[in-house]
Amino acid sequence: MIYIILNAILVPVLLWFSSVADIRNDTLRFRSVVNSILVLAIIALTDAVSLLVCQYGNIQFGTLTSKLMFFLTLVFSSMYCTYLMNFPASKKSAFFNVLNILLILFAVYGVFGKITRITVSVSDGVQYSFDPVAEGGALSWFNLLQIGYLMVLPAFGVLSLFLRFQAMKNKLNRQKMILFMVSVLACWGLMYLMTQQAVRYNKAFSSMYPLALALLVFLSYQIVIQEDRIDAKVVVERFIDLVVNYLLISVIAGVIFALMQPLRKANLGLFVVIFSVITIGLYTASHYIAKALNARRRNASTRYYAANFEKQLAGLDYNEEIEVLNEKILRIFKDNVRTEVLEILVEEKEGNLKTLYSSRQRAVTIPANSPIFDAALNDKRDVIFRSHAETRHRLAMARDELTKLFDSTQTEVLILLHEGRHVFGAILLGEKRLGNAYTDYDYTVFNRLYSHFFVIGYYLQNIANESVVGTVNREIQMSGQIIQSIQENMDFIRSPKVDVGYISMAAHNLGGEYYDFIRLTDERHIIVLGDISGKGINASMSTVILKSVVRTFLAETHDFKQLVQKTNAFIRNNLPKGTFLAAVFMLIDFSDNTLYYINCGIPALFMYNQAYNNVIEIQGEGRVLGFVKNIEKLVHVKKIKLNPGDIVLATTDGLLNTKSIRGEDFGRDRVQRSILENISFPASKMSEFLYNELVDFTSRELEDDVSVITIKCLSNK
């Protein structure tokens, strides 16, 4: 009965496994694996049915299911082995398709044409009797099919991998070939042990061979989805994980199961309860043991470098000389990533990416029209490993260019730096020392610290260019470059329905004021005004990063509230700790002159209503971004209808909280009076006049950054 139950359990597991493999991966590369899993599920089902019907004496139906089971086993072997012979091609060639068809037809002839007798019993399993291949010969058709399909054919598959191994240039595929060969040998070994067990103890044990094939397809799936090469340390660690999480618990559970057989016979219900509790306890213990091992491994191994890597990148001093800064960046990568090769490319006037810094003094160029950019951006992949060029279906359009780039530069990693869909820089990394491979952990770290790479690329492109470095202070030039870049990338609103003006002034050359105009359609625009915590270069660079990120998020989502939620998550997870943003996000829809807005801690948002000829505050309550992990329930979309003559004015706290020499705040009342006194002027003049009033009020240099945005409704037609 246990053999029937185990095969019956295996069926839904395999069906679930096939659906997961099909859904999570592109069908072209995984079609053969998924088909093999489905065939194996039917094999396990027919095996269970064959044993089950024998208990009821239905010999005719048992014979049919047993024939089908053996036939499908031969089909499985044919499909799998021709896949190995064709690997790593995603699609089988015509030759292998024909070969597979011929093998299946021969299996039909052998199983359904030459079979003479099948006996099925719970104690003996399935027993086959075939006519001899030749008259008087000792070799039966069963032996011929079994040896040919289950031994010779897999041997050809392994031999094919072995012969093509040396000629394979792609290191990831070489690794996969080795793993496939090991997997087939492991399956052979397991099936041999099952055969010996059946011969010595219980013939019915041979009906458990679908478990060996299940192990094979599971290993094959893991091999195919592998996108990174692994080194010896990773192999050892994963073997330890396998022992702790699976083998150890299985062995202990098996021993306990055997020792509890007397209780099972005496009281089956009590046996099930006790054994279930023990199994859950073993699983829980293995989970915590594995967790402790991982924690200890992370603390003891330099491979887990994320925290130190982030700390060093965040500590870079961008006021240093360029040569010194570049060498520090290289040293950070050497100490953490363990690579000696670093290439930093930035955009030139022609749009090409060219080397600005090279640890090997080499010149690299990536053309502006390279398909690499579109492929990576469409795949939403900022970090590309050499192995991804072969394994990522969405990078197929740029596979040749990526391979050529990695080969010509002798590098393994490409990090693209971009604002929205505009790629302005790239970082190339060479092999690790000792030839260790880049792993999933490296990929996770690079994506997590992408904002730091963005800052490096942006600084080197816009600030560190020798053509703009003069005798003035470097911070002043940085501020000018950042402000100029932000202004040039804004989509100023040009509509006959509204007049929009703004002014933004930094108190100490470098500021954290964030303002942007983003065009969605002719009828819809987004305006953002905010103040990022801090001053100087750190606040300025955070502003640049956020502007790029918000525009990138807009390409991914059309939900206004979700845009704010994504921005909050990015600030909290990617920008330096302690960074927050007090801002207002506004969406103007000219189709009905409606202004939607979300207050995120902006101190003042005023509206002048022409009908009542007064100014009111409309900001309400707002939550600053960057503090709370989930801000979904804390932010709300509000809307107001704009009529001709209405005015909306938003300002940061630098204007409201600036004090005079007597210690008096500029305050809200002065802002409201300024709006009423300057209603007849254009929006840009209203913003300018308000700022001038502030300067006259203080009678000294400003101590905080100031930004004002004014929106005047001119028409509703």
Side-chain angles (χ1 to χ4, degrees):
M1 180 63 70
I2 186 64
Y3 306 111
I4 299 175
I5 294 174
L6 290 176
N7 277 292
I9 293 174
L10 186 60
V11 174
V13 171
L14 289 171
L15 292 175
W16 168 82
F17 184 33
S18 67
S19 65
V20 170
D22 190 38
I23 293 172
R24 292 184 179 178
N25 305 279
D26 57 273
T27 56
L28 180 63
R29 191 157 52 99
F30 285 84
R31 184 176 300 147
S32 296
V33 177
V34 172
N35 291 341
S36 298
I37 298 172
L38 291 174
V39 170
L40 183 56
I42 302 175
I43 292 174
L45 177 63
T46 53
D47 193 3
V49 171
S50 298
L51 294 173
L52 183 63
V53 297
C54 77
Q55 293 187 337
Y56 299 96
N58 194 333
I59 299 176
Q60 185 177 4
F61 187 66
T63 300
L64 177 62
T65 55
S66 298
K67 283 184 178 182
L68 182 60
M69 177 188 67
F70 186 65
F71 167 71
L72 290 174
T73 303
L74 303 184
V75 171
F76 174 89
S77 178
S78 173
M79 292 171 55
Y80 186 82
C81 294
T82 53
Y83 173 76
L84 293 184
M85 296 176 193
N86 192 53
F87 182 82
S90 299
K91 188 176 181 180
K92 283 186 179 180
S93 65
F95 171 78
F96 287 108
N97 284 329
V98 172
L99 177 62
N100 197 39
I101 292 173
L102 292 176
L103 288 171
I104 292 175
L105 290 176
F106 187 74
V108 171
Y109 172 74
V111 173
F112 296 99
K114 294 296 183 179
I115 190 169
T116 56
R117 182 173 59 88
I118 292 180
T119 59
V120 184
S121 69
V122 176
S123 59
D124 295 336
V126 181
Q127 301 295 317
Y128 299 89
S129 177
F130 286 79
D131 290 334
V133 175
E135 187 175 351
L139 183 66
S140 69
W141 274 95
F142 169 72
N143 298 135
L144 176 65
L145 294 173
Q146 188 180 46
I147 293 173
Y149 281 81
L150 303 183
M151 298 181 66
V152 176
L153 199 55
F156 269 108
V158 172
L159 181 62
S160 172
L161 292 173
F162 180 77
L163 294 176
R164 292 182 288 121
F165 175 79
Q166 293 297 334
M168 179 61 63
K169 294 182 179 180
N170 185 281
K171 294 181 179 180
L172 178 64
N173 285 334
R174 286 165 62 93
Q175 171 185 282
K176 290 184 176 184
M177 286 179 168
I178 294 175
L179 294 176
F180 269 125
M181 288 187 280
V182 172
S183 299
V184 173
L185 293 175
C187 181
W188 269 350
L190 186 57
M191 294 187 73
Y192 175 77
L193 291 176
M194 288 182 173
T195 302
Q196 293 300 310
Q197 177 76 7
V199 171
R200 294 180 182 179
Y201 303 105
N202 190 337
K203 293 181 179 180
F205 201 81
S206 61
S207 62
M208 294 303 300
Y209 76 88
L211 291 176
L213 299 180
L215 175 64
L216 179 63
V217 295
F218 174 77
L219 293 176
S220 300
Y221 173 75
Q222 294 298 322
I223 294 169
V224 175
I225 66 173
Q226 185 68 39
E227 295 190 355
D228 303 296
R229 302 197 334 259
I230 55 178
D231 55 28
K233 289 183 178 179
V234 176
V235 173
V236 173
E237 290 173 0
R238 291 186 178 177
F239 177 75
I240 293 175
D241 292 339
L242 176 66
V243 171
V244 172
N245 293 327
Y246 301 103
L247 297 184
L248 185 61
I249 186 175
S250 299
V251 170
I252 296 176
V255 172
I256 294 175
F257 182 85
L259 295 176
M260 293 180 63
Q261 287 305 301
L263 177 62
R264 183 177 71 87
K265 295 178 180 179
N267 191 329
L268 181 61
L270 181 62
F271 166 80
V272 171
V273 172
I274 296 177
F275 187 73
S276 298
V277 172
I278 292 175
T279 303
I280 294 173
L282 288 172
Y283 175 79
T284 304
S286 69
H287 170 74
Y288 283 104
I289 292 173
K291 188 176 180 179
L293 287 174
N294 288 332
R296 183 176 180 181
R297 186 187 303 157
R298 289 178 182 274
N299 293 331
S301 175
T302 57
R303 291 198 311 108
Y304 300 98
Y305 54 84
N308 188 60
F309 193 25
E310 181 177 16
K311 181 179 179 181
Q312 292 185 18
L313 288 173
L316 284 171
D317 184 1
Y318 290 93
N319 291 320
E320 292 183 316
E321 293 296 328
I322 300 306
E323 294 78 8
V324 176
L325 179 63
N326 286 333
E327 290 302 320
K328 284 191 174 182
I329 295 172
L330 175 61
R331 174 53 58 187
I332 290 173
F333 276 93
K334 283 183 177 180
D335 293 344
N336 295 280
V337 185
R338 306 293 178 180
T339 180
E340 301 283 347
V341 177
L342 172 66
E343 310 278 350
I344 303 178
L345 291 73
V346 297
E347 183 183 25
E348 293 198 335
K349 291 182 179 180
E350 300 82 4
N352 300 327
L353 299 187
K354 291 191 177 182
T355 299
L356 184 67
Y357 172 77
S358 172
S359 60
R360 299 175 297 183
Q361 305 301 317
R362 297 183 60 175
V364 179
T365 300
I366 303 179
N369 59 353
S370 174
I372 293 175
F373 301 151
D374 285 336
L377 294 174
N378 292 339
D379 194 26
K380 298 180 182 179
R381 185 168 288 255
D382 302 322
V383 180
I384 303 174
F385 288 178
R386 177 189 285 267
S387 56
H388 296 160
E390 291 291 334
T391 57
R392 289 292 300 179
H393 179 64
R394 294 183 179 179
L395 296 176
M397 62 179 291
R399 182 168 297 155
D400 294 339
E401 287 74 12
L402 280 168
T403 303
K404 182 179 178 181
L405 175 64
F406 286 128
D407 288 341
S408 62
T409 59
Q410 297 179 342
T411 54
E412 297 291 323
V413 179
L414 169 64
I415 303 174
L416 289 178
L417 311 174
H418 60 95
E419 294 180 281
R421 294 191 65 85
H422 172 230
V423 179
F424 67 86
I427 296 176
L428 287 164
L429 303 177
E431 282 191 342
K432 290 187 176 184
R433 290 200 295 269
L434 304 178
N436 291 338
Y438 286 93
T439 65
D440 293 336
Y441 177 78
D442 296 302
Y443 183 75
T444 301
V445 172
F446 292 162
N447 278 288
R448 173 182 165 187
L449 302 182
Y450 176 79
S451 59
H452 293 281
F453 305 144
F454 180 96
V455 171
I456 292 172
Y458 191 91
Y459 171 78
L460 292 176
Q461 182 205 22
N462 295 287
I463 314 304
N465 194 311
E466 293 298 329
S467 63
V468 299
V469 176
T471 58
V472 296
N473 181 273
R474 188 182 300 274
E475 283 199 359
I476 296 177
Q477 291 208 340
M478 178 173 289
S479 175
Q481 289 290 327
I482 293 174
I483 293 172
Q484 179 183 358
S485 175
I486 293 176
Q487 291 174 340
E488 290 176 353
N489 285 320
M490 291 193 297
D491 307 321
F492 294 108
I493 300 176
R494 293 179 173 84
S495 171
K497 294 186 176 183
V498 296
D499 176 25
V500 180
Y502 76 96
I503 188 170
S504 182
M505 303 297 293
H508 303 290
N509 298 318
L510 293 172
E513 299 292 277
Y514 171 31
Y515 56 96
D516 199 6
F517 299 88
I518 307 170
R519 177 187 178 277
L520 301 179
T521 66
D522 290 338
E523 296 291 331
R524 295 163 68 87
H525 283 72
I526 282 181
I527 302 175
V528 184
L529 176 68
D531 181 17
I532 293 180
S533 59
K535 294 180 174 61
I537 186 172
N538 289 334
S540 295
M541 298 312 292
S542 294
T543 300
V544 174
I545 294 169
L546 266 184
K547 180 188 174 191
S548 173
V549 166
V550 169
R551 287 174 173 262
T552 301
F553 287 159
L554 280 171
E556 302 172 355
T557 179
H558 300 289
D559 188 296
F560 188 43
K561 185 175 180 178
Q562 191 177 39
L563 170 67
V564 176
Q565 294 172 210
K566 284 176 171 284
T567 303
N568 175 74
F570 180 85
I571 295 172
R572 181 178 174 84
N573 299 328
N574 295 277
L575 294 184
K577 292 182 179 179
T579 301
F580 61 86
L581 172 68
V584 60
F585 289 74
M586 296 180 281
L587 170 63
I588 300 182
D589 189 343
F590 295 129
S591 63
D592 56 2
N593 272 21
T594 301
L595 175 68
Y596 302 88
Y597 65 95
I598 298 177
N599 177 20
C600 303
I602 196 73
L605 185 62
F606 300 94
M607 179 180 180
Y608 168 76
N609 186 284
Q610 188 183 48
Y612 297 98
N613 192 33
N614 68 340
V615 179
I616 60 173
E617 291 189 51
I618 60 173
Q619 71 266 24
E621 295 182 0
R623 294 302 183 103
V624 173
L625 302 184
F627 279 128
V628 182
K629 183 177 181 180
N630 187 357
I631 204 169
E632 179 181 2
K633 297 180 180 179
L634 303 178
V635 294
H636 307 280
V637 180
K638 298 184 177 182
K639 70 175 183 176
I640 53 176
K641 182 75 172 180
L642 295 178
N643 297 304
D646 291 348
I647 300 172
V648 174
L649 185 145
T651 179
T652 55
D653 61 356
L655 186 138
L656 298 177
N657 299 334
T658 296
K659 299 181 182 296
S660 67
I661 57 176
R662 292 180 295 180
E664 181 183 2
D665 288 340
F666 187 78
R668 288 171 163 75
D669 292 341
R670 287 183 174 84
V671 176
Q672 291 174 308
R673 281 201 305 269
S674 178
I675 294 174
L676 290 171
E677 292 171 358
N678 299 296
I679 288 176
S680 60
F681 290 94
S684 59
K685 286 296 182 182
M686 292 185 67
S687 300
E688 183 181 341
F689 290 159
L690 183 57
Y691 175 76
N692 291 338
E693 290 178 28
L694 175 68
V695 173
D696 294 338
F697 172 77
T698 59
S699 300
R700 59 182 177 181
E701 290 187 2
L702 297 178
E703 296 180 357
D704 200 357
D705 307 327
V706 175
S707 293
V708 179
I709 287 181
T710 305
I711 304 170
K712 295 186 67 175
C713 183
L714 304 178
S715 170
N716 55 11
K717 296 181 180 180

